[in-house]
Amino acid sequence: MTYLWRAVDADGNVLDILVQSRRDTAAAGRFFRKLMKVTRSVPRVVVTDKFRSYGAAHRQVMPSVEHRAHKGLNNRAEYSHQPTRQRERAMKGFRSVGGAQRFLAAFSGISPHFRSRRHLMTATEHRTEMIIRFAIWDQITGVAALTTPA
C-alpha cells in the first residue's frame, strides 16, 4: 500500500506532494524536511490529522513550530486532494509508485491554473479569467505556434 503526503498552504495551493510506502515517524520526518527544503522556509503553523507519527516527527524536525491536530482543521488539504482522486479514477489507478509520484508532482502544479475560485467571481469575470488562463497556457506550451490558420 502507498500513502500520499500533501502539503497545502492557507489558500489551498499544493506546496509539495510525496508518495511513500510507509506512514511512520521516519516517513513523516522525511516529508517535513523535504517540504522545508522545497519551500525554503519554516512554516508558522503545521496542521495535520490526528495520526500520531505527525506529532512525533514534528517534535524532532521542527519543535519550535506550532502543531495543530484537531478534527476538521485539515479539511483544506483533504479538499485539495479531490482533483487527484478524480484523475486517479479516470486513469484507473496508477501503475507504479514512481509513476504516481511523477504524475502528481506535475499535476499538482498545473491543476490549480485551470481551477479558478469561481465562487468569488461573477460569470463575466470567470469567463474573462479563463480566457486569460488558457491564453497563458497556450503560450507556455507553444500550442499557439503549432496551429496554422486554414
Side-chain angles (χ1 to χ4, degrees), residues 19-70:
V19 179
Q20 292 188 358
S21 61
R22 296 184 182 256
R23 195 172 179 218
D24 57 3
T25 303
R30 276 192 303 275
F31 182 64
F32 286 152
R33 281 189 290 280
K34 182 178 184 273
L35 176 61
M36 288 191 299
K37 185 178 178 182
V38 168
T39 60
R40 294 186 179 137
S41 65
V42 177
R44 185 178 51 82
V45 177
V46 173
V47 177
T48 65
D49 59 11
K50 294 182 182 181
F51 197 64
R52 296 282 189 204
S53 64
Y54 295 132
H58 164 262
R59 286 189 297 277
Q60 292 173 357
V61 176
M62 45 186 158
S64 62
V65 176
E66 182 183 352
H67 180 228
R68 297 178 188 166
H70 301 288

Side-chain angles (χ1 to χ4, degrees), residues 113-131:
H113 182 74
F114 296 103
R115 296 182 190 275
S116 63
R117 300 183 69 169
R118 174 67 180 96
H119 64 286
L120 300 176
M121 303 179 197
T122 64
T124 306
E125 290 171 343
H126 181 256
R127 279 191 293 275
T128 305
E129 180 68 23
M130 292 312 292
I131 288 169

